Amino acid sequence: PAPFLLAEHAGACGAVATVARTASRLDVLWVASDGSVWCRKYEDGPGWGPQVCVAGAGSAHPSAIAAVGRNPEHLDVFWIANDGQIWTNWWDSGENRGQWNQPFHLSDRGAAQVGALQVISRSSNHLDLFWIASDSSVHTTFWDGQGWHGHWAISSAGSTGHSVRKAR
């Protein structure tokens, strides 16, 4: 098939994240040139849905976005703002009339280096988030259905490069 335009408005400027929630459902998220965060879903049968704004202009640095599907009907996205603050938003087909919720921050300003962020779901009720802190240490936090639980270093200052990679 021929290539086609995926981002019709607010084109991608940097980071892109993808999630396959099932074998027939795919989500693509990106940071637009104005710092907004967008999502577009694909499902076998109907194909590509409309693109949806997840967070408004100025929300994200163009090099830092991560996403995970905790189950087939739920999606979480994370990004780093220009000021080093970590933000998140979530979508669930059974909540908020199937619309994205309001973004909220998980850290203070300066908590993260731009471009260094990863998330993984160990179960439908557990998320682990990792990032490179401003002192070049690796930090983490987790969500367990009861809320987010602080954050702490798991490596010493100066011990990292510039990005965190998921294990395959």
Side-chain angles (χ1 to χ4, degrees):
F4 62 95
L5 185 63
L6 181 64
E8 298 164 2
H9 308 287
C13 166
V16 174
T18 58
V19 175
R21 291 183 285 127
T22 69
S24 63
R25 292 180 184 168
L26 172 68
D27 299 278
V28 179
L29 298 106
W30 66 91
V31 177
S33 57
D34 65 357
S36 57
V37 178
W38 291 80
C39 180
R40 192 160 183 197
K41 298 175 185 193
Y42 173 87
E43 189 166 355
D44 286 353
W48 288 100
Q51 63 185 42
V52 177
C53 187
V54 174
S59 296
H61 188 277
S63 68
I65 188 170
V68 67
R70 290 191 278 129
N71 66 56
E73 302 302 325
H74 190 95
L75 185 62
D76 294 280
V77 62
F78 302 85
W79 63 90
I80 299 173
N82 287 322
D83 64 2
Q85 198 171 38
I86 299 171
W87 285 78
T88 187
N89 198 351
W90 59 278
W91 169 89
D92 191 288
S93 65
E95 302 285 332
N96 193 27
R97 298 178 314 276
Q99 303 296 312
W100 281 91
N101 289 277
Q102 290 299 311
F104 60 96
H105 63 89
L106 296 177
S107 73
D108 294 331
R109 292 179 179 179
Q113 282 186 23
V114 170
L117 180 71
Q118 285 294 328
V119 63
I120 192 165
S121 174
R122 291 192 270 161
S123 73
S124 63
N125 285 317
H126 194 100
L127 292 174
D128 291 288
L129 182 67
F130 301 90
W131 66 91
I132 305 267
S134 55
D135 67 357
S136 294
S137 61
V138 176
H139 280 233
T140 188
T141 187
F142 71 95
W143 176 87
D144 62 0
Q146 303 298 313
W148 287 97
H149 298 278
H151 67 85
W152 57 94
I154 60 172
S155 76
S156 59
S159 64
T160 66
H162 294 289
S163 65
V164 177
R165 301 246 187 244
K166 282 188 206 180
R168 292 186 187 247

